[in-house]
Amino acid sequence: MNKKFIISVLSLVGVAFYSPAQNKLVINADQGKETISKHIYGHFSEHLGHCIYGGYWVGENSPIPNTRGIRNDVVKALKDIQIPNLRWPGGCFADEYHWMDGIGPRDQRPKMVNTHWGGVTEDNSFGTHEFLDLCEQLGCEPYISGNLGSGSVEEMSKWVEYISFDGESPMSNLRKQNGREKPWNVKFWGVGNESWGCGGSMTPDHYSDLYRRYATFCRNYGDNRLYKIACGANEADYNWTETVMKNVGNRMQGLSLHYYTIPKTWGNKGSATQFDEAEYFTTIEKTLKMEELLTKHSNIMDRYDPQKRIGLITDEWGTWYNVEPGANPGFLYQQNTLRDAIVAGINLNIFNSHCDRVKMTNIAQTVNVLQAVILTDEEKMLLTPTYWVYYLYKVHQDAKLLPVSLTGEKYELDGRKMEAISASASKDASGKIHVTLVNIDPNKELTIETELRGVNVKSVSGQVLTSAKINDYNSFENPNTVTVKDFKGAKLSGGKLSVALPAKSVVVLELN
Ligand code: AHR
């Protein structure tokens, strides 16, 4: 009798063969020393397209429900995901922005041209007071990007004084005159944005010198201790990181990194909604590059800062596609599909795993621009698949990262391969363990056998984000096509947890 025959006979009579789990996740619940900063779940909003105007700001006289001109629906949605910080006013816009144009009576504020983004008129009706009011309504920390590219040292220095000085001074008096008696606490200050490109086309040596000069005059007033963030590298520009670390060192508290997932090329980035599986594969492959970038930039930082005092701040990341047909090319308005949710889930798991060095990230951009979490159309608002990932992952904010190891299947397409599952786990202050899982494979349900070390888990519950097609999205007509549902695919038995992850899904589990 040959082996094949014996196997088929035994299968017919129902003999179960020992087959090791294809996917195995080990969670070390009694280990872990690093905290996942809540700021890893941060956002970025620029004066670009309909992010600020229409996205947040509708003005006090708008029929759209608002509080002092800021949309109530958008504020509520962002509070529901516990938005921890908001970066503003740019981006490239930041290095053209003159903050004094955005204070005082709105009808007297000077106008400017937004040369980077569509050449439209910026009337400065949303300025410092409106932004800080927005942050107060959101309950989040402001992160202001100062203008190093075209603004003066004096201008940046006075902005810090205007916002955070409590005593008697020309700038604090001006603030009071404009209706704000008490200073604001603004800790996070960016000193220039993309100074290697739209922020001034500088070399890293030249930028380092300018950083040192500008940052010197950004003062700590009272108990407002600035966390100064230097402009960091574009993608894999390791020389930039090396040079700025060497020249600036501990004069900065954070160093940024920008990396966008662009499925095709800068000239034709690909459509947000019309893509085939090969393009999906490439998108994920490019997203996974974040792991390599963080590792290599961190390695350089480790040489100059072994105690990890300086945070790596990925303050621009996300997908970047062609604008939607008919949209102003300068407005960067794109739809958001289940593919974007998978991209977000993977990136956030990667950021968590680097939380010893990565202290903040800001997805670009919150409303109506690039990988937005919210889209608006006049009075209508929808939550994108990416929004729902932030909703699921908020449990990781300020939780302890738990070490995990994952072995398993590959997702394969035309001879190309990648790991099919991405995972992250954390323990919160109340002792609850949360696991976030992404099944990247768009065609196959994957079962994971999970070993829970150092903990006695009694119950498991979960939520899942998936949809019929990888390019499904939420529209104003059908806003709930891709949304979160209760997850029933996790089974606990004898201390082992088995999870059946649907194809192309993002799952969060809570273990008690
Ligand atoms: O997010 C859009 C733009 O991308 C930002 O303004 C700029 O910093 C980056 O190049």
Side-chain angles (χ1 to χ4, degrees):
M1 268 192 291
N2 68 22
K3 196 173 156 205
K4 215 166 153 192
F5 177 75
I6 298 173
I7 291 175
S8 29
V9 170
L10 290 177
S11 320
L12 279 175
V13 294
V15 174
F17 286 98
Y18 170 73
S19 97
Q22 296 250 48
N23 301 295
K24 182 159 185 198
L25 177 67
V26 178
I27 300 176
N28 296 291
D30 52 354
Q31 294 178 23
K33 43 186 194 322
E34 302 295 339
T35 298
I36 300 168
S37 169
K38 65 177 178 180
H39 292 297
I40 283 183
Y41 292 83
H43 290 259
F44 165 41
S45 293
E46 181 166 9
H47 286 240
L48 196 177
H50 291 297
C51 187
I52 298 295
Y53 298 109
Y56 293 105
W57 180 255
V58 286
E60 285 148 341
N61 300 324
S62 169
I64 299 172
N66 69 83
T67 302
R68 294 182 293 280
I70 296 166
R71 293 180 76 123
N72 294 343
D73 52 355
V74 169
V75 167
K76 176 176 182 318
L78 293 175
K79 284 177 84 163
D80 287 348
I81 55 172
Q82 290 171 207
I83 180 173
N85 68 66
L86 187 59
R87 179 174 183 250
W88 171 88
C92 296
F93 181 79
D95 280 295
E96 283 197 316
Y97 182 61
H98 299 285
W99 69 272
M100 282 203 174
D101 294 347
I103 55 170
R106 273 186 217 112
D107 57 357
Q108 290 168 32
R109 295 183 190 174
K111 296 182 172 48
M112 68 179 279
V113 186
N114 191 334
T115 53
H116 281 292
W117 307 120
V120 294
T121 301
E122 162 66 57
D123 72 0
N124 279 307
S125 50
F126 189 91
T128 302
H129 289 250
E130 290 78 13
F131 171 64
L132 294 172
D133 185 17
L134 168 64
C135 292
E136 284 181 342
Q137 290 188 36
L138 292 170
C140 79
E141 291 212 40
Y143 168 12
I144 293 184
S145 289
N147 178 350
L148 173 137
S150 71
S152 67
V153 177
E154 181 186 5
E155 189 181 352
M156 198 185 292
S157 171
K158 282 183 167 169
W159 202 3
V160 176
E161 180 189 326
Y162 182 89
I163 287 174
S164 52
F165 185 56
D166 198 11
E168 178 83 13
S169 84
M171 288 302 108
S172 67
N173 289 347
L174 185 58
R175 182 191 69 233
K176 289 173 196 167
Q177 205 179 301
N178 288 329
R180 173 81 183 196
E181 189 60 30
K182 282 279 143 207
W184 292 276
N185 280 323
V186 175
K187 184 164 85 172
F188 299 118
W189 273 90
V191 185
N193 168 75
E194 298 197 350
S195 306
W196 36 261
C198 67
S201 306
M202 301 174 203
T203 65
D205 280 305
H206 182 60
Y207 170 74
S208 300
D209 285 346
L210 283 185
Y211 173 92
R212 290 164 68 122
R213 183 160 167 244
Y214 277 70
T216 301
F217 297 94
C218 293
R219 309 287 189 194
N220 293 325
Y221 292 108
D223 56 8
N224 190 58
R225 306 281 101 185
L226 297 179
Y227 184 101
K228 294 176 215 166
I229 300 168
C231 165
N234 180 30
E235 305 187 359
D237 184 352
Y238 300 113
N239 178 49
W240 185 281
T241 298
E242 180 89 42
T243 310
V244 177
M245 285 301 293
K246 184 171 66 184
N247 293 344
V248 173
N250 59 17
R251 288 180 173 85
M252 63 187 163
Q253 285 70 49
L255 178 62
S256 75
L257 168 68
H258 288 184
Y259 175 59
Y260 285 96
T261 298
I262 298 170
K264 290 184 165 177
T265 61
W266 271 102
N268 173 20
K269 303 182 186 73
S271 157
T273 56
Q274 309 299 309
F275 54 89
D276 59 14
E277 192 176 338
E279 202 165 316
Y280 169 72
F281 192 101
T282 306
T283 309
I284 303 304
E285 207 169 44
K286 291 193 172 181
T287 284
L288 289 165
K289 180 138 191 328
M290 186 65 88
E291 172 64 42
E292 178 189 324
L293 292 172
L294 296 182
T295 303
K296 292 190 175 168
H297 285 292
S298 296
N299 287 346
I300 296 168
M301 293 175 81
D302 284 351
R303 279 195 275 109
Y304 294 91
D305 173 36
Q307 281 153 334
K308 299 186 195 290
R309 292 200 176 100
I310 302 170
L312 182 54
I313 310 293
T314 315
D315 56 15
E316 286 188 33
W317 67 272
T319 51
W320 195 328
Y321 309 118
N322 297 334
V323 294
E324 289 304 304
N328 183 329
F331 281 13
L332 312 189
Y333 176 79
Q334 64 190 40
Q335 249 298 353
N336 194 290
T337 67
L338 182 58
R339 170 176 65 168
D340 295 272
I342 302 282
V343 165
I346 294 169
N347 272 304
L348 293 170
N349 283 347
I350 293 174
F351 296 142
N352 282 357
S353 72
H354 283 269
C355 68
D356 59 335
R357 179 62 82 179
V358 175
K359 298 298 177 191
M360 183 195 287
T361 91
N362 308 78
I363 190 168
Q365 299 191 2
T366 326
V367 196
N368 294 329
V369 170
L370 299 179
Q371 193 175 349
V373 294
I374 293 173
L375 300 178
T376 63
D377 178 12
E378 302 292 344
E379 78 292 351
K380 289 179 267 179
M381 180 195 85
L382 67 80
L383 307 173
T384 67
T386 300
Y387 175 92
W388 291 113
V389 175
Y390 277 81
Y391 180 84
L392 296 178
Y393 277 56
K394 65 185 174 185
V395 290
H396 286 312
Q397 290 191 22
D398 283 341
K400 189 81 64 199
L401 178 76
L402 297 178
V404 296
S405 80
L406 178 65
T407 46
E409 291 172 66
K410 304 269 191 256
Y411 162 39
E412 294 191 38
L413 186 75
D414 301 332
R416 298 152 79 197
K417 282 185 195 176
M418 63 174 74
E419 299 298 334
I421 301 170
S422 153
S424 184
S426 68
K427 190 193 278 189
D428 71 14
S430 71
K432 282 186 193 132
I433 294 172
H434 294 102
V435 189
T436 46
L437 298 159
V438 184
N439 179 358
I440 296 167
D441 194 320
N443 307 311
K444 196 166 158 196
E445 177 183 283
L446 298 173
T447 300
I448 312 178
E449 299 307 330
T450 306
E451 188 184 329
L452 304 161
R453 292 190 184 153
V455 67
N456 187 10
V457 173
K458 299 203 174 57
S459 69
V460 57
S461 59
Q463 289 180 290
V464 59
L465 182 74
T466 187
S467 191
K469 296 198 270 27
I470 191 68
N471 55 355
D472 279 348
Y473 59 88
N474 296 333
S475 63
F476 293 104
E477 297 71 42
N478 297 301
N480 298 315
T481 303
V482 190
T483 190
V484 165
K485 299 198 172 60
D486 280 347
F487 179 62
K488 305 284 178 219
K491 304 269 173 300
L492 201 57
S493 142
K496 297 252 175 197
L497 175 67
S498 170
V499 186
L501 278 184
K504 50 180 165 21
S505 67
V506 181
V507 167
V508 63
L509 300 175
E510 181 169 295
L511 313 178
N512 279 295

